[in-house]
mmCIF file of all heavy atoms in Angstrom:
data_model
loop_
_atom_site.group_PDB
_atom_site.id
_atom_site.type_symbol
_atom_site.label_atom_id
_atom_site.label_comp_id
_atom_site.label_asym_id
_atom_site.label_seq_id
_atom_site.Cartn_x
_atom_site.Cartn_y
_atom_site.Cartn_z
ATOM 1 N N MET R 1381 130.377 275.900 1.800
ATOM 2 C CA MET R 1381 129.106 275.324 1.341
ATOM 3 C C MET R 1381 129.301 273.897 1.074
ATOM 4 O O MET R 1381 130.188 273.490 0.383
ATOM 5 C CB MET R 1381 128.569 276.053 0.091
ATOM 6 C CG MET R 1381 127.276 275.558 -0.394
ATOM 7 S SD MET R 1381 126.768 276.342 -1.889
ATOM 8 C CE MET R 1381 126.580 278.031 -1.306
ATOM 9 N N GLY R 1382 128.431 273.031 1.581
ATOM 10 C CA GLY R 1382 128.484 271.649 1.399
ATOM 11 C C GLY R 1382 128.223 271.200 -0.010
ATOM 12 O O GLY R 1382 127.504 271.893 -0.784
ATOM 13 N N GLN R 1383 128.642 269.975 -0.311
ATOM 14 C CA GLN R 1383 128.429 269.425 -1.716
ATOM 15 C C GLN R 1383 126.912 269.191 -2.024
ATOM 16 O O GLN R 1383 126.413 269.537 -3.045
ATOM 17 C CB GLN R 1383 129.151 268.092 -1.835
ATOM 18 C CG GLN R 1383 129.151 267.566 -3.275
ATOM 19 C CD GLN R 1383 129.975 268.426 -4.192
ATOM 20 O OE1 GLN R 1383 130.889 269.148 -3.774
ATOM 21 N NE2 GLN R 1383 129.672 268.415 -5.481
ATOM 22 N N GLU R 1384 126.157 268.728 -1.006
ATOM 23 C CA GLU R 1384 124.749 268.479 -1.164
ATOM 24 C C GLU R 1384 123.956 269.812 -1.362
ATOM 25 O O GLU R 1384 123.110 269.921 -2.173
ATOM 26 C CB GLU R 1384 124.170 267.777 0.095
ATOM 27 C CG GLU R 1384 122.715 267.417 -0.059
ATOM 28 C CD GLU R 1384 122.182 266.667 1.175
ATOM 29 O OE1 GLU R 1384 123.050 266.360 2.023
ATOM 30 O OE2 GLU R 1384 120.989 266.441 1.231
ATOM 31 N N GLN R 1385 124.310 270.835 -0.590
ATOM 32 C CA GLN R 1385 123.625 272.132 -0.744
ATOM 33 C C GLN R 1385 124.015 272.785 -2.111
ATOM 34 O O GLN R 1385 123.179 273.402 -2.743
ATOM 35 C CB GLN R 1385 124.081 273.078 0.354
ATOM 36 C CG GLN R 1385 123.402 274.399 0.320
ATOM 37 C CD GLN R 1385 123.788 275.328 1.499
ATOM 38 O OE1 GLN R 1385 124.674 274.892 2.308
ATOM 39 N NE2 GLN R 1385 123.203 276.466 1.578
ATOM 40 N N PHE R 1386 125.164 272.529 -2.581
ATOM 41 C CA PHE R 1386 125.577 273.051 -3.871
ATOM 42 C C PHE R 1386 124.776 272.513 -5.013
ATOM 43 O O PHE R 1386 124.291 273.205 -5.892
ATOM 44 C CB PHE R 1386 127.085 272.807 -4.083
ATOM 45 C CG PHE R 1386 127.560 273.218 -5.443
ATOM 46 C CD1 PHE R 1386 127.755 274.488 -5.817
ATOM 47 C CD2 PHE R 1386 127.781 272.218 -6.428
ATOM 48 C CE1 PHE R 1386 128.147 274.872 -7.074
ATOM 49 C CE2 PHE R 1386 128.155 272.594 -7.717
ATOM 50 C CZ PHE R 1386 128.375 273.911 -8.041
ATOM 51 N N HIS R 1387 124.611 271.161 -4.961
ATOM 52 C CA HIS R 1387 123.811 270.494 -6.000
ATOM 53 C C HIS R 1387 122.322 270.938 -5.907
ATOM 54 O O HIS R 1387 121.698 270.976 -6.962
ATOM 55 C CB HIS R 1387 124.005 268.975 -5.879
ATOM 56 C CG HIS R 1387 125.313 268.513 -6.394
ATOM 57 N ND1 HIS R 1387 125.717 268.498 -7.702
ATOM 58 C CD2 HIS R 1387 126.419 268.042 -5.677
ATOM 59 C CE1 HIS R 1387 126.978 268.051 -7.819
ATOM 60 N NE2 HIS R 1387 127.334 267.764 -6.609
ATOM 61 N N ARG R 1388 121.818 271.177 -4.756
ATOM 62 C CA ARG R 1388 120.422 271.510 -4.610
ATOM 63 C C ARG R 1388 120.129 272.920 -5.154
ATOM 64 O O ARG R 1388 119.061 273.196 -5.545
ATOM 65 C CB ARG R 1388 120.004 271.455 -3.111
ATOM 66 C CG ARG R 1388 118.505 271.612 -2.942
ATOM 67 C CD ARG R 1388 118.080 271.212 -1.514
ATOM 68 N NE ARG R 1388 118.826 271.964 -0.492
ATOM 69 C CZ ARG R 1388 119.687 271.470 0.341
ATOM 70 N NH1 ARG R 1388 119.991 270.176 0.318
ATOM 71 N NH2 ARG R 1388 120.315 272.216 1.208
ATOM 72 N N ARG R 1389 121.156 273.789 -5.138
ATOM 73 C CA ARG R 1389 120.962 275.142 -5.593
ATOM 74 C C ARG R 1389 121.789 275.507 -6.811
ATOM 75 O O ARG R 1389 122.144 276.676 -7.110
ATOM 76 C CB ARG R 1389 121.313 276.147 -4.446
ATOM 77 C CG ARG R 1389 120.545 275.917 -3.178
ATOM 78 C CD ARG R 1389 120.891 276.902 -2.193
ATOM 79 N NE ARG R 1389 120.588 278.277 -2.670
ATOM 80 C CZ ARG R 1389 121.002 279.399 -2.054
ATOM 81 N NH1 ARG R 1389 121.636 279.328 -0.893
ATOM 82 N NH2 ARG R 1389 120.760 280.602 -2.587
ATOM 83 N N ARG R 1390 122.128 274.512 -7.564
ATOM 84 C CA ARG R 1390 122.966 274.792 -8.676
ATOM 85 C C ARG R 1390 122.291 275.493 -9.871
ATOM 86 O O ARG R 1390 122.913 276.107 -10.641
ATOM 87 C CB ARG R 1390 123.581 273.435 -9.219
ATOM 88 C CG ARG R 1390 122.576 272.500 -9.702
ATOM 89 C CD ARG R 1390 123.233 271.182 -10.131
ATOM 90 N NE ARG R 1390 122.370 270.172 -10.664
ATOM 91 C CZ ARG R 1390 122.708 269.002 -11.114
ATOM 92 N NH1 ARG R 1390 123.989 268.724 -11.135
ATOM 93 N NH2 ARG R 1390 121.820 268.208 -11.538
ATOM 94 N N VAL R 1391 120.986 275.396 -9.962
ATOM 95 C CA VAL R 1391 120.234 276.098 -10.971
ATOM 96 C C VAL R 1391 119.178 276.947 -10.324
ATOM 97 O O VAL R 1391 118.399 276.442 -9.543
ATOM 98 C CB VAL R 1391 119.557 275.155 -11.989
ATOM 99 C CG1 VAL R 1391 118.778 275.939 -12.988
ATOM 100 C CG2 VAL R 1391 120.663 274.331 -12.728
ATOM 101 N N ARG R 1392 119.123 278.254 -10.602
ATOM 102 C CA ARG R 1392 118.170 279.153 -10.038
ATOM 103 C C ARG R 1392 117.446 279.930 -11.101
ATOM 104 O O ARG R 1392 118.086 280.364 -12.074
ATOM 105 C CB ARG R 1392 118.839 280.103 -9.048
ATOM 106 C CG ARG R 1392 119.427 279.441 -7.849
ATOM 107 C CD ARG R 1392 119.943 280.483 -6.851
ATOM 108 N NE ARG R 1392 121.005 281.299 -7.500
ATOM 109 C CZ ARG R 1392 121.528 282.385 -6.976
ATOM 110 N NH1 ARG R 1392 121.143 282.824 -5.828
ATOM 111 N NH2 ARG R 1392 122.487 283.055 -7.631
ATOM 112 N N ILE R 1393 116.127 280.082 -10.882
ATOM 113 C CA ILE R 1393 115.314 280.936 -11.806
ATOM 114 C C ILE R 1393 114.624 281.983 -10.911
ATOM 115 O O ILE R 1393 113.856 281.680 -10.021
ATOM 116 C CB ILE R 1393 114.253 280.095 -12.531
ATOM 117 C CG1 ILE R 1393 114.898 279.056 -13.444
ATOM 118 C CG2 ILE R 1393 113.364 280.999 -13.425
ATOM 119 C CD1 ILE R 1393 113.999 278.150 -14.155
ATOM 120 N N GLU R 1394 114.887 283.252 -11.208
ATOM 121 C CA GLU R 1394 114.411 284.306 -10.362
ATOM 122 C C GLU R 1394 113.836 285.445 -11.274
ATOM 123 O O GLU R 1394 114.191 285.598 -12.454
ATOM 124 C CB GLU R 1394 115.529 284.889 -9.462
ATOM 125 C CG GLU R 1394 116.066 283.838 -8.468
ATOM 126 C CD GLU R 1394 117.170 284.438 -7.607
ATOM 127 O OE1 GLU R 1394 117.508 285.604 -7.830
ATOM 128 O OE2 GLU R 1394 117.696 283.730 -6.729
ATOM 129 N N ASN R 1395 112.959 286.205 -10.662
ATOM 130 C CA ASN R 1395 112.374 287.449 -11.314
ATOM 131 C C ASN R 1395 113.085 288.650 -10.758
ATOM 132 O O ASN R 1395 113.244 288.788 -9.488
ATOM 133 C CB ASN R 1395 110.928 287.587 -11.047
ATOM 134 C CG ASN R 1395 110.141 286.482 -11.813
ATOM 135 O OD1 ASN R 1395 110.624 285.992 -12.818
ATOM 136 N ND2 ASN R 1395 108.972 286.157 -11.299
ATOM 137 N N VAL R 1396 113.568 289.555 -11.593
ATOM 138 C CA VAL R 1396 114.231 290.736 -11.183
ATOM 139 C C VAL R 1396 113.404 291.903 -11.670
ATOM 140 O O VAL R 1396 113.244 292.061 -12.890
ATOM 141 C CB VAL R 1396 115.648 290.760 -11.755
ATOM 142 C CG1 VAL R 1396 116.375 292.067 -11.302
ATOM 143 C CG2 VAL R 1396 116.472 289.596 -11.299
ATOM 144 N N SER R 1397 112.947 292.718 -10.739
ATOM 145 C CA SER R 1397 112.077 293.861 -11.089
ATOM 146 C C SER R 1397 112.864 295.137 -11.059
ATOM 147 O O SER R 1397 113.720 295.355 -10.158
ATOM 148 C CB SER R 1397 110.921 293.948 -10.130
ATOM 149 O OG SER R 1397 110.185 292.772 -10.214
ATOM 150 N N THR R 1398 112.657 295.947 -12.065
ATOM 151 C CA THR R 1398 113.190 297.314 -12.135
ATOM 152 C C THR R 1398 112.099 298.322 -12.283
ATOM 153 O O THR R 1398 110.904 297.992 -12.273
ATOM 154 C CB THR R 1398 114.175 297.392 -13.328
ATOM 155 O OG1 THR R 1398 113.449 297.312 -14.563
ATOM 156 C CG2 THR R 1398 115.278 296.398 -13.237
ATOM 157 N N GLN R 1399 112.467 299.568 -12.370
ATOM 158 C CA GLN R 1399 111.463 300.627 -12.570
ATOM 159 C C GLN R 1399 110.784 300.537 -13.905
ATOM 160 O O GLN R 1399 109.591 301.012 -14.067
ATOM 161 C CB GLN R 1399 112.139 302.047 -12.453
ATOM 162 C CG GLN R 1399 112.670 302.314 -11.037
ATOM 163 C CD GLN R 1399 113.346 303.705 -10.997
ATOM 164 O OE1 GLN R 1399 113.453 304.375 -12.003
ATOM 165 N NE2 GLN R 1399 113.683 304.057 -9.766
ATOM 166 N N HIS R 1400 111.369 299.926 -14.855
ATOM 167 C CA HIS R 1400 110.822 299.934 -16.193
ATOM 168 C C HIS R 1400 110.201 298.565 -16.591
ATOM 169 O O HIS R 1400 109.265 298.549 -17.409
ATOM 170 C CB HIS R 1400 111.920 300.262 -17.245
ATOM 171 C CG HIS R 1400 112.574 301.536 -17.037
ATOM 172 N ND1 HIS R 1400 111.999 302.755 -17.306
ATOM 173 C CD2 HIS R 1400 113.841 301.887 -16.475
ATOM 174 C CE1 HIS R 1400 112.809 303.747 -17.015
ATOM 175 N NE2 HIS R 1400 113.918 303.227 -16.488
ATOM 176 N N SER R 1401 110.674 297.480 -16.024
ATOM 177 C CA SER R 1401 110.158 296.189 -16.450
ATOM 178 C C SER R 1401 110.526 295.167 -15.418
ATOM 179 O O SER R 1401 111.272 295.404 -14.457
ATOM 180 C CB SER R 1401 110.676 295.870 -17.861
ATOM 181 O OG SER R 1401 110.165 294.581 -18.226
ATOM 182 N N THR R 1402 110.100 293.941 -15.711
ATOM 183 C CA THR R 1402 110.424 292.815 -14.830
ATOM 184 C C THR R 1402 111.125 291.769 -15.774
ATOM 185 O O THR R 1402 110.650 291.447 -16.890
ATOM 186 C CB THR R 1402 109.158 292.120 -14.269
ATOM 187 O OG1 THR R 1402 108.529 293.103 -13.397
ATOM 188 C CG2 THR R 1402 109.582 290.905 -13.446
ATOM 189 N N TYR R 1403 112.251 291.234 -15.292
ATOM 190 C CA TYR R 1403 113.044 290.311 -16.021
ATOM 191 C C TYR R 1403 113.057 288.981 -15.335
ATOM 192 O O TYR R 1403 113.061 288.900 -14.095
ATOM 193 C CB TYR R 1403 114.502 290.837 -16.211
ATOM 194 C CG TYR R 1403 114.559 292.158 -16.948
ATOM 195 C CD1 TYR R 1403 114.572 293.358 -16.226
ATOM 196 C CD2 TYR R 1403 114.679 292.232 -18.307
ATOM 197 C CE1 TYR R 1403 114.667 294.575 -16.848
ATOM 198 C CE2 TYR R 1403 114.798 293.452 -18.965
ATOM 199 C CZ TYR R 1403 114.728 294.615 -18.220
ATOM 200 O OH TYR R 1403 114.788 295.832 -18.817
ATOM 201 N N ARG R 1404 113.115 287.976 -16.145
ATOM 202 C CA ARG R 1404 113.203 286.620 -15.583
ATOM 203 C C ARG R 1404 114.609 286.100 -15.987
ATOM 204 O O ARG R 1404 114.981 286.063 -17.195
ATOM 205 C CB ARG R 1404 112.133 285.724 -16.095
ATOM 206 C CG ARG R 1404 112.335 284.230 -15.715
ATOM 207 C CD ARG R 1404 111.021 283.511 -15.802
ATOM 208 N NE ARG R 1404 110.109 283.943 -14.760
ATOM 209 C CZ ARG R 1404 108.952 283.347 -14.485
ATOM 210 N NH1 ARG R 1404 108.581 282.268 -15.145
ATOM 211 N NH2 ARG R 1404 108.165 283.788 -13.481
ATOM 212 N N ALA R 1405 115.338 285.717 -14.955
ATOM 213 C CA ALA R 1405 116.707 285.279 -15.172
ATOM 214 C C ALA R 1405 116.881 283.788 -14.689
ATOM 215 O O ALA R 1405 116.261 283.340 -13.704
ATOM 216 C CB ALA R 1405 117.690 286.190 -14.418
ATOM 217 N N MET R 1406 117.769 283.116 -15.379
ATOM 218 C CA MET R 1406 118.125 281.721 -15.035
ATOM 219 C C MET R 1406 119.664 281.656 -14.826
ATOM 220 O O MET R 1406 120.403 282.097 -15.751
ATOM 221 C CB MET R 1406 117.702 280.804 -16.121
ATOM 222 C CG MET R 1406 118.036 279.333 -15.772
ATOM 223 S SD MET R 1406 117.403 278.179 -17.004
ATOM 224 C CE MET R 1406 118.469 278.638 -18.406
#
Side-chain angles (χ1 to χ4, degrees):
M1381 180 183 296
Q1383 188 70 22
E1384 182 180 355
Q1385 184 179 4
F1386 173 77
H1387 285 289
R1388 187 168 57 246
R1389 301 184 57 188
R1390 62 182 178 177
V1391 176
R1392 293 185 300 170
I1393 298 177
E1394 297 180 357
N1395 292 333
V1396 180
S1397 298
T1398 66
Q1399 295 180 352
H1400 303 286
S1401 181
T1402 298
Y1403 299 91
R1404 174 159 290 190
M1406 180 178 67

